[in-house]
Amino acid sequence: MSENFPRDWLDLATKELKGREVEDLTWQTAEGIAIKPVYTAEDLPQDATSALPGVAPFTRGPRATMYAGQPWTIRQYAGFSTAEASNAFYRKNLAAGQKGLSVAFDLATHRGYDSDHPRVAGDVGKAGVAIDTVEDMKILFDGIPLDTMSVSMTMNGAIIPVLAMFVVAAEEQGVDRRQLTGTVQNDILKEFMVRNTYIYPPEPSMRIVADIIGYTAVEMPRFNSISISGYHMQEAGATLAQELAYTLADGMEYVRAAMARGLSVDKFAPRLSFFFCIGMNFFMEVAKLRAARQMWAKIMTDFGATDERSKMLRTHCQTSGVSLTEQDPMNNVVRTAYEAMSAVLGGTQSLHTNAFDEAMALPSETSARIARNTQLILAHETGVTNVVDPLGGSYYVEALTKDLADRAFELIAEVEAAGGMTKAVAEGLPKRRIEEAAALRQARIDKGEDVVVGVNRFRLEEEAPVEILNIDTAAVRKSQIARLEEVRRTRSKEACESALAALRDCASGKDGNLLAAAVEAARARATLGEISQAMEDGFGGRHQPSTSLISGVFASAHESDPEFATIRQRIADYAEEKGRKPSILVAKLGQDGHDRGSKVIATAFADLGFAVHLGPLFETPQEVASLAIDRKVDVVGVSSHAAGHMTLVPELIAALAEKNRADIHVVCGGVIPSQDYQALLDAGVAEIFGPGTNVLQAAMAVLGVLEGRRRNTRATERLTA
């Protein structure tokens, strides 16, 4: 590579390196891009110096003046417990400078269940706000003028009832649907890849997407009908090239679906929007957003778009949740600030900044204020809004933009060769690629190749406790059930049943628009669960996912690691002594679909020598207990992400005891606050691991449980799950 550098610089660098080669300074990204130590004008792509913001292919920004004309929208994603509590939180944030609402729903709502459904006892109000009826939606937006306030709703599986209830709530506030502004996520393909809050199979789910695009194009012309999301891909372990490629490939599939319904591309494309994650690779994230705009302009031109607005990629961004650490958590304030600046320098249209305590629980009022003020400081004190695309023309950033776009187009070509994203998802192609990348990333962290300050380097001897927000699920569920019963008691039974029957017929046939039918059902006070069930009946059932386990990736990354070899031998010795491998069931309880951690653990433990059984998603404690007994496992490892552990894990231990199998050990990993440790230990949990534990150490701890040894569980010894 030496011949690629200017001679004068090479001479100086060689002298400074004192015997080392200049090539030693080159590093390889997870995408396989070689990053040189110095970039020059020779590295600039041909068109980089002539590009302008607001002009296709929009590499430098979708608008000519960008933040110099108007700053990005501060749109904090939030929602918790009841509609009343979330409404109070929104109004306070809006008064403090927030410019748009971004609603987080609880997992029961995401999965199309009413709060009184027996499968959601541990999920109601935990990871977002519980919405069961139009009455909940009206309370959520009470005192918030929907004719002027932009509302973003992160919803996919239950998007039809949620959007229908939003439309009816606005009408009853006196706001015509044509006045509504905002965005719904409505991106079901990425759910099948990573997030898993789906309800219906891929084909009817794609019909839902197309029906919403069609309805909003006519009835809600100011509303963005879809936010094509890469966020959860990166959170699940995707490289930036994978996030970029699979997000745009999803967008291509949605465009095809809408065009297949007879919609002109320029009729709906200007209302498409995107959603990206912003992690800690600062310049790569800047380049990713620039590359995304450049690529989308080409993709839409190929689709025949002639309206320049159809070619503009507009995006919301959110700082990374995975980059947050439970150890030394105030470091997360700094991480989020860097990520926010990266998003802004990349040209995002709106931004959410995560709170520093979100590696442990929902944000507290104090942490949410710091997160919001991070954006206010960035917008008002740093001067970044004064110049459009200040990194435009940077040798490094322009070269990165091109390299990243080239890698992403290669991955899109692979998806297209598989028949498009719907077929690729059905075959598990993108999911497999992302899981491999996640396992490699975890191995690099465990080996210290990727430094995480406060976790695998520069650790504190003792962690100070952090006050966290605690949601009383039982109390929230009780209040939701009371309101559900009141709605069911006071509505017209005949009108509700008639509207649900019409929706069911619409779902089972090809005619009619699902959202239009659901609006009538919501107006008749059908509940979210009833609307979802009517569609499920029409579509022929819920999606039944399959679980698979990749193998060899973690082992290959530890090929020359003596610690890995030592632990592997210890496990082999145990297997020889017992006459069988130690056996673990990796389980998810409740409606939490985040499975990055469970997949990484399952892959790593299998490569180490455990007999690993990967349980299905969305199981009840009783179902997991039965599966553990059926598979004859020694230990159940519960991966928790959405705070349901305090309800569901004790129920699992009780279910095992009821079946006379209290000898099966239970360990927990994931987003588990240290304040919850003692209660879980008292309930019978053998080991607790939270974000950041070295996976090899976790395997040794589990083996210790099976051998009758226990370590002292500490908040600083955590398992990524």
Side-chain angles (χ1 to χ4, degrees), residues 31-33 43-47 240-242 244-245 248 284 287-288 290-292 294-295 298 397-414:
E31 293 77 14
I33 297 171
D43 297 297
L44 284 174
Q46 279 188 331
D47 57 352
L240 269 62
Q242 289 171 340
L244 180 54
L248 298 188
M284 284 282 283
K288 182 183 74 182
R290 301 174 93 252
Q294 186 182 98
M295 293 172 69
K298 181 183 185 309
V397 170
E398 297 291 1
L400 266 185
T401 300
K402 181 182 183 304
D403 288 344
L404 202 47
D406 288 346
R407 286 288 189 278
F409 270 130
E410 290 172 7
L411 291 170
I412 288 175
E414 183 182 44

Side-chain angles (χ1 to χ4, degrees), residues 258-301:
M259 292 176 72
R261 300 295 295 274
L263 292 173
S264 164
V265 65
D266 286 324
K267 179 71 174 177
F268 65 85
R271 304 313 304 172
L272 302 179
S273 65
F274 289 79
F275 174 30
F276 286 104
C277 180
I278 303 295
M280 284 299 291
N281 196 333
F282 189 91
F283 289 105
M284 284 282 283
E285 293 289 4
V286 173
K288 182 183 74 182
L289 297 186
R290 301 174 93 252
R293 290 191 293 270
Q294 186 182 98
M295 293 172 69
W296 190 245
K298 181 183 185 309
I299 288 167
M300 293 307 292
T301 299

Side-chain angles (χ1 to χ4, degrees), residues 205-379:
S205 294
M206 287 297 290
R207 179 189 169 189
I208 289 171
V209 172
D211 276 11
I212 290 173
I213 292 173
Y215 181 93
T216 54
V218 176
E219 301 290 335
M220 302 165 68
R222 300 176 63 198
F223 204 83
N224 297 322
S225 56
I226 189 168
S227 174
I228 305 156
S229 172
Y231 183 85
H232 288 102
M233 296 181 198
Q234 187 180 147
E235 293 289 274
T239 67
L240 269 62
Q242 289 171 340
E243 179 192 5
L244 180 54
Y246 297 150
T247 304
L248 298 188
D250 282 352
M252 293 164 65
E253 199 77 343
Y254 296 136
V255 169
R256 290 188 182 113
M259 292 176 72
R261 300 295 295 274
L263 292 173
S264 164
V265 65
D266 286 324
K267 179 71 174 177
F268 65 85
R271 304 313 304 172
L272 302 179
S273 65
F274 289 79
F275 174 30
F276 286 104
C277 180
I278 303 295
M280 284 299 291
N281 196 333
F282 189 91
F283 289 105
M284 284 282 283
E285 293 289 4
V286 173
K288 182 183 74 182
L289 297 186
R290 301 174 93 252
R293 290 191 293 270
Q294 186 182 98
M295 293 172 69
W296 190 245
K298 181 183 185 309
I299 288 167
M300 293 307 292
T301 299
D302 291 345
F303 271 117
T306 56
D307 188 334
E308 290 297 283
R309 295 174 304 159
S310 299
K311 304 174 187 178
M312 293 179 185
L313 182 145
R314 295 161 299 109
T315 189
H316 171 69
C317 288
Q318 180 174 339
T319 59
S320 174
V322 166
S323 71
L324 304 179
T325 66
E326 186 177 26
Q327 297 85 351
D328 207 358
M330 294 309 295
N331 289 340
N332 296 333
V333 177
V334 181
R335 291 186 178 102
T336 296
Y338 285 139
E339 290 170 349
M341 179 168 275
S342 182
V344 167
L345 293 178
T348 189
Q349 277 60 71
S350 64
L351 180 62
H352 166 86
T353 34
N354 286 332
F356 73 85
D357 53 359
E358 287 187 65
M360 296 166 278
L362 289 170
S364 66
E365 187 171 331
T366 297
S367 68
R369 177 177 55 82
I370 293 170
R372 182 184 63 251
N373 287 353
T374 298
Q375 292 197 56
L376 293 173
I377 291 166
L378 187 56

Side-chain angles (χ1 to χ4, degrees), residues 16-83:
E16 289 178 6
L17 290 172
K18 298 177 180 177
R20 283 194 296 150
E21 298 292 328
V22 169
E23 281 76 4
D24 294 340
L25 300 180
T26 300
W27 63 279
Q28 198 90 352
T29 72
E31 293 77 14
I33 297 171
I35 304 297
K36 303 187 298 182
V38 68
Y39 285 77
T40 69
E42 296 296 316
D43 297 297
L44 284 174
Q46 279 188 331
D47 57 352
T49 55
S50 60
L52 290 172
V55 178
F58 307 106
T59 309
R60 302 195 63 189
R63 294 187 292 114
T65 57
M66 289 300 288
Y67 311 138
Q70 179 180 332
W72 66 92
T73 300
I74 299 173
R75 190 188 292 279
Q76 290 300 94
Y77 178 55
F80 54 91
S81 72
T82 62

Side-chain angles (χ1 to χ4, degrees), residues 122-186:
D123 295 306
V124 176
K126 272 290 187 185
V129 60
I131 297 294
D132 293 314
T133 67
V134 169
E135 301 309 318
D136 290 334
M137 194 70 80
K138 288 168 67 176
I139 293 168
L140 186 67
F141 295 111
D142 182 44
I144 297 171
L146 293 178
D147 54 343
T148 58
M149 181 59 62
S150 173
V151 176
S152 171
M153 293 185 287
T154 300
M155 178 54 64
N156 299 284
I159 181 61
I160 287 286
V162 164
L163 187 51
M165 289 176 183
F166 176 69
V167 169
V168 174
E171 286 178 356
E172 296 185 8
Q173 194 188 82
V175 178
D176 186 270
R177 68 188 67 169
R178 299 184 66 83
Q179 295 177 277
L180 295 173
T181 60
T183 305
V184 284
Q185 196 162 96
N186 190 28

Side-chain angles (χ1 to χ4, degrees), residues 38 69 76 79 102 111 167 180 182 208 346 418-419 424 442 448 460 501 518 641 657 683 703:
V38 68
Q76 290 300 94
S102 188
R111 294 271 293 143
V167 169
L180 295 173
I208 289 171
Q442 185 59 48
L460 288 175
H641 186 90
L703 187 62

Side-chain angles (χ1 to χ4, degrees), residues 544-565:
Q544 298 300 320
S546 60
T547 56
S548 60
L549 185 62
I550 60 172
S551 62
V553 175
F554 199 81
S556 67
H558 284 276
E559 206 166 19
S560 57
D561 183 354
E563 185 182 7
F564 181 86

